[in-house]
Amino acid sequence: MDVKNHNKNIVKQFSKQASGYTAITSHSEALDKLISLSSASKSDSVLDIACGSGIVSCEFAKHTHDVTGIDITQGMLDEAQKLQTKCDLTNMTWQIGDVDNLPYEDDSFSIVISRFGFHHFLNPFKVLSEMKRVCKPGGKVLVVDVSLPDSKIKKYNEMEKNRDDSHVAALSLTEFSNLFKKVGFKSLNTDFYSMQISLKEQLKASFPRDKNTLKNMIITDVGVNDLGINVLKLNEEYFLQYPIHIFSLKK
Ligand SMILES: C[S@@+](CC[C@H](N)C(=O)[O-])C[C@H]1O[C@@H](n2cnc3c(N)ncnc32)[C@H](O)[C@@H]1O
């Protein structure tokens, strides 16, 4: 798919997801881990790329000097503005744009973060290079996303493409490691958490191509784990457990 059509598809998908995105409880989990891994402080200037409804941006704004959030979907940025108002934060700027070409000078921010964005990017190398470019020397670049062993990636991507057709590809742990080397990062810290969401809640917030196939793929994966998300059945309800990796890189 070319960039123009892909971006159109992203905006279409996230304009639909926008109103329910912040309310999903699991989207607000483990934020303390991101703050502590980044060693965020009141002297930091933060950029959150593909910031969506601003969950991560607003958390960082509570701990740092200022935060800028950039996203391509206006509906998500409208939600981000609402969250900022709710949190009573005044040190934030929102910008609409494509993170393939960040509209900022070199060395502008001390922390540059992306959560749940990389699996939507057609050119992860370009985006990560841009994140590095706008980060100050000695600053931190944080990439937070689902990552799986190579053996699970194919099936996982098949499931996610059905659930959200703007999904490009989750990167395996090997692919992330190669990407960080290729962009020229030397030091890397990794942390992990499991993001649990019920199948019911996930389906309510999603706009799948084929809901029955998706449901079936998930339900039949209990005890098999071909998808890499350790589907659990508890009291007649199914739970997906997304393996989230936090990669902290130093420029
Ligand atoms: C799954 S949401 C993640 C939102 C937020 N980062 C979070 O962690 O809650 C993915 C976001 O990426 C944005 N996005 C995807 N591709 C983009 C691009 N090329 N440029 C800017 N934003 C993009 C979408 O609009 C959407 O808001």
Side-chain angles (χ1 to χ4, degrees):
M1 192 184 270
D2 65 51
V3 176
K4 208 172 149 201
N5 280 326
H6 174 64
N7 285 349
K8 255 190 180 170
N9 203 26
I10 288 276
V11 174
K12 193 173 156 206
Q13 178 63 231
F14 282 99
S15 300
K16 288 189 281 189
Q17 288 191 32
S19 65
Y21 193 90
T22 307
I24 297 173
T25 330
S26 58
H27 287 167
S28 293
E29 280 169 5
L31 296 171
D32 51 335
K33 258 186 196 289
L34 306 188
I35 300 296
S36 95
L37 255 177
S38 65
S39 316
S41 77
K42 284 289 175 193
S43 61
D44 281 310
S45 191
V46 180
L47 175 67
D48 182 11
I49 71 139
C51 65
S53 66
I55 298 170
V56 170
S57 319
C58 288
E59 192 60 28
F60 270 90
K62 294 172 193 166
H63 298 268
T64 60
H65 183 266
D66 59 271
V67 176
T68 300
I70 180 168
D71 200 280
I72 204 168
T73 309
Q74 186 58 50
M76 290 298 260
L77 290 176
D78 293 344
E79 292 300 315
Q81 183 68 62
K82 283 186 208 161
L83 187 60
Q84 178 191 347
T85 305
K86 194 175 159 203
C87 297
D88 201 16
L89 293 160
T90 53
N91 55 344
M92 309 191 75
T93 308
W94 306 109
Q95 184 155 8
I96 190 137
D98 182 351
V99 299
D100 246 22
N101 288 296
L102 292 172
Y104 311 109
E105 301 284 317
D106 296 358
D107 310 337
S108 297
F109 302 93
S110 53
I111 298 174
V112 183
I113 182 161
S114 162
R115 188 185 75 161
F116 307 160
F118 267 72
H119 60 270
H120 290 293
F121 302 150
L122 284 179
N123 190 343
F125 173 76
K126 179 86 198 316
V127 178
L128 189 62
S129 303
E130 278 291 273
M131 290 174 79
K132 188 177 175 212
R133 178 184 67 75
V134 302
C135 184
K136 289 183 176 159
K140 284 200 170 137
V141 172
L142 267 84
V143 175
V144 186
D145 210 350
V146 168
S147 186
L148 298 155
D150 295 300
S151 58
K152 309 281 182 192
I153 280 288
K154 194 166 169 273
K155 268 264 177 237
Y156 175 85
N157 282 332
E158 201 185 306
M159 171 190 72
E160 279 296 287
K161 269 198 178 112
N162 182 348
R163 192 187 69 74
D164 169 351
D165 65 7
S166 70
H167 177 90
V168 174
L171 300 183
S172 72
L173 291 162
T174 319
E175 286 169 323
F176 264 123
S177 165
N178 290 339
L179 177 67
F180 300 146
K181 277 187 210 136
K182 199 171 158 197
V183 175
F185 285 107
K186 288 185 185 86
S187 98
L188 167 70
N189 264 316
T190 308
D191 207 334
F192 170 87
Y193 68 97
S194 174
M195 184 178 82
Q196 181 169 296
I197 182 163
S198 75
L199 177 58
K200 208 165 156 190
E201 189 178 20
Q202 184 69 315
L203 287 178
K204 205 174 140 208
S206 306
F207 303 87
R209 283 177 181 159
D210 178 346
K211 197 169 172 177
N212 286 336
T213 305
L214 176 65
K215 229 171 142 177
N216 198 41
M217 224 179 159
I218 293 167
I219 286 169
T220 56
D221 205 41
V222 176
V224 180
N225 201 27
D226 272 348
L227 297 169
I229 52 165
N230 254 317
V231 182
L232 272 184
K233 189 179 180 193
L234 281 175
N235 305 326
E236 297 312 307
E237 178 58 287
Y238 293 89
F239 293 90
L240 291 70
Q241 304 185 93
Y242 287 90
I244 310 295
H245 282 80
I246 307 170
F247 302 105
S248 168
L249 306 142
K250 198 167 171 198
K251 178 163 168 185

